[in-house]
Amino acid sequence: MDAYLYDTQRTPRGRGRAGGALAGVTPLDLIAGLLHALAARAPHLAARAGDLVLGCVTPVGEQGANLARTALLHAGWDARVPGMQLNRFCASGLEAVTYAALQVAAGVAEIVVAGGVESMSRVPMGSDGGPLLTDPVVQAEVGFVPQGIAADLLATLQGFRREELDAYALASQQRAARAASTGAFRSLTPVCAPDGAILLAQDEAIRATTTLEALAGLPPAFAQIGAARFDAVALARYPSVGTVRHLHTAGNSSAIVDGAALAVVGSRAAGAVLGQPPRARIVASAVVGSEPTLMLTGPAPATRAALAQARMALADIDLIECNEAFAAVVLAFMRAMGLADCSRINVNGGAIALGHPLGATGAILLGTLLDELERRDLTTGLVTLCAAGGMGSALIVERV
């Protein structure tokens, strides 16, 4: 049985810090707002959904205790709808959609809602601890380094220059600013206060006036932690490098933001229940592991695996969303996949400009991709992300 995408909605992304537009909104309310929006568009959804699958990278505190089930009850959905939470690090939001599609394809459920949330202003990244972050023995076993060090190591290994990374970052900002100003982000639900006042209607982190000169003036973000400890770990795994060149800055790395996104996945017959036609078919998906110190190279092998499953070539894909965790991630993906330019990749900008709300990003990218395929009247699209610990995830969709 095939699985189809019927709807996608996301919040705007607010700066993930005190004073950010969404810092006063709990992750529970971010998800509940989207549940209300989806139910308003498909009135039977709140009673007929078979599950809510929610990605979240830091599932503690306000994001803990199965936030999916709590959000369903908080939003007033039928108590018979269950919920679950999953964590595949930065790929969590996309993996939630994949899991939903598997449920539908297996006949376990007719309709599943899936996506992710991350309130990085309220639940800081890494606050869930875990042996990968806190146990020195485990860190030594796996060659753990923070992702910023891995990004600089990747850039060093690939021979990227700071100017290339900054040029890509500038393009992301320009594309995101253009997309926002022209209404290209269609699947966008404003976040409102309890009294109905709009708190945020557009993505907050975009810097439309960014210049190459401004980007060039930013200091390396990870040189200090590299010198203190982690450059040595990286060089122990990759001694031929000699020196890790610290090229990533706050300007060519993904922004820390708050945000959430959901998608409605169902069988072909689910359209009669939802009162909506399917927008796209989920063609294939794949998840892979990659070398854990370098860790950010998963998108290329995940994409190859998904393409093989679909019996497609990259030339068959019209648009690509590759998460901009760091500029080097996208440039390395392009090189690995033989993409000569970025004319069909991240055409509306990415996380460098818009932000990366960890557990939500995969679902956000899926909605962005589907909106743009429809806007351009194109057919096929790919979403892919790297994930901490050395993983990659990819999903291929085809418009119906």
Side-chain angles (χ1 to χ4, degrees), residues 19 23 97 114 154 304 316 324 326 339 349 352 372 380 383:
V97 175
L154 176 62
R304 293 190 190 103
D316 299 320
E324 294 175 357
F326 302 90
L339 286 166
I352 289 172
E372 192 63 18
T380 57
V383 179

Side-chain angles (χ1 to χ4, degrees), residues 98-193:
T98 296
Y99 187 82
L102 292 173
Q103 288 193 64
V104 170
V108 173
E110 186 176 39
I111 303 166
V112 179
V113 180
V117 65
E118 208 80 35
S119 178
M120 301 180 76
S121 64
R122 300 176 70 93
V123 186
M125 180 170 50
S127 57
D128 54 338
L132 189 63
L133 298 179
T134 62
D135 188 329
V137 174
V138 173
Q139 290 180 337
E141 288 173 346
V142 303
F144 168 81
V145 297
Q147 284 200 346
I149 300 298
D152 285 341
L153 175 62
L154 176 62
T156 303
L157 286 165
Q158 294 275 336
F160 296 137
R161 295 175 291 108
R162 169 72 181 268
E163 292 79 8
E164 292 177 275
L165 304 181
D166 286 347
Y168 181 84
L170 178 63
S172 179
Q173 293 284 357
Q174 292 172 335
R175 289 178 170 194
R178 183 175 63 248
S181 66
T182 59
F185 299 130
R186 299 176 180 180
S187 299
L188 195 59
T189 296
V191 178
C192 298

Side-chain angles (χ1 to χ4, degrees), residues 26-37:
T26 68
L28 176 66
D29 283 330
L30 291 177
I31 288 296
L34 293 178
L35 290 172
H36 287 308

Side-chain angles (χ1 to χ4, degrees), residues 31-363:
I31 288 296
L34 293 178
L35 290 172
H36 287 308
L38 291 175
R41 294 155 66 89
H44 296 295
L45 179 62
R48 295 291 297 272
D51 205 353
L52 170 62
V53 185
L54 196 64
C56 183
V57 174
T58 315
V60 295
E62 291 181 332
Q63 293 179 165
N66 192 352
L67 190 63
R69 175 61 174 167
T70 309
L72 288 163
L73 299 175
H74 183 58
W77 281 37
D78 195 302
R80 291 172 294 182
V81 181
M84 67 171 286
Q85 207 158 327
L86 62 78
N87 181 3
R88 200 183 293 278
F89 292 133
C90 299
S92 297
L94 191 65
E95 286 294 292
V97 175
T98 296
Y99 187 82
L102 292 173
Q103 288 193 64
V104 170
V108 173
E110 186 176 39
I111 303 166
V112 179
V113 180
V117 65
E118 208 80 35
S119 178
M120 301 180 76
S121 64
R122 300 176 70 93
V123 186
M125 180 170 50
S127 57
D128 54 338
L132 189 63
L133 298 179
T134 62
D135 188 329
V137 174
V138 173
Q139 290 180 337
E141 288 173 346
V142 303
F144 168 81
V145 297
Q147 284 200 346
I149 300 298
D152 285 341
L153 175 62
L154 176 62
T156 303
L157 286 165
Q158 294 275 336
F160 296 137
R161 295 175 291 108
R162 169 72 181 268
E163 292 79 8
E164 292 177 275
L165 304 181
D166 286 347
Y168 181 84
L170 178 63
S172 179
Q173 293 284 357
Q174 292 172 335
R175 289 178 170 194
R178 183 175 63 248
S181 66
T182 59
F185 299 130
R186 299 176 180 180
S187 299
L188 195 59
T189 296
V191 178
C192 298
D195 64 1
I198 294 177
L199 297 175
L200 187 64
Q202 296 289 336
D203 296 297
E204 189 181 22
I206 300 172
R207 291 178 175 147
T209 59
T210 297
T211 64
L212 275 178
E213 292 74 21
L215 289 169
L218 295 173
F222 309 105
Q224 187 172 351
I225 59 170
R229 175 183 174 190
F230 290 107
D231 281 359
V233 178
L235 292 172
R237 287 293 177 101
Y238 294 89
S240 63
V241 169
T243 301
V244 177
R245 299 170 62 228
H246 292 289
L247 303 175
H248 285 91
T249 69
N252 57 34
S253 305
S254 56
I256 293 174
V257 294
D258 304 331
L262 291 175
V264 179
V265 182
S267 66
R268 189 71 189 229
V273 176
L274 296 168
Q276 298 171 339
R279 297 172 67 190
R281 180 174 68 93
I282 296 175
V283 177
S285 65
V287 61
V288 302
S290 62
E291 199 282 306
T293 300
L294 192 54
M295 108 173 58
L296 304 174
T297 57
T303 293
R304 293 190 190 103
L307 289 170
Q309 184 187 134
R311 298 181 180 179
M312 298 171 71
L314 193 64
D316 299 320
I317 303 296
D318 295 317
L319 292 176
I320 300 166
E321 290 288 330
C322 178
N323 186 36
E324 294 175 357
F326 302 90
V329 172
V330 183
L331 295 182
F333 171 77
M334 291 172 58
R335 179 175 289 178
M337 299 304 299
L339 286 166
D341 60 61
C342 55
S343 59
R344 58 183 170 128
I345 185 168
N346 300 345
V347 296
N348 287 327
I352 289 172
L354 295 155
H356 177 19
L358 307 178
T361 300

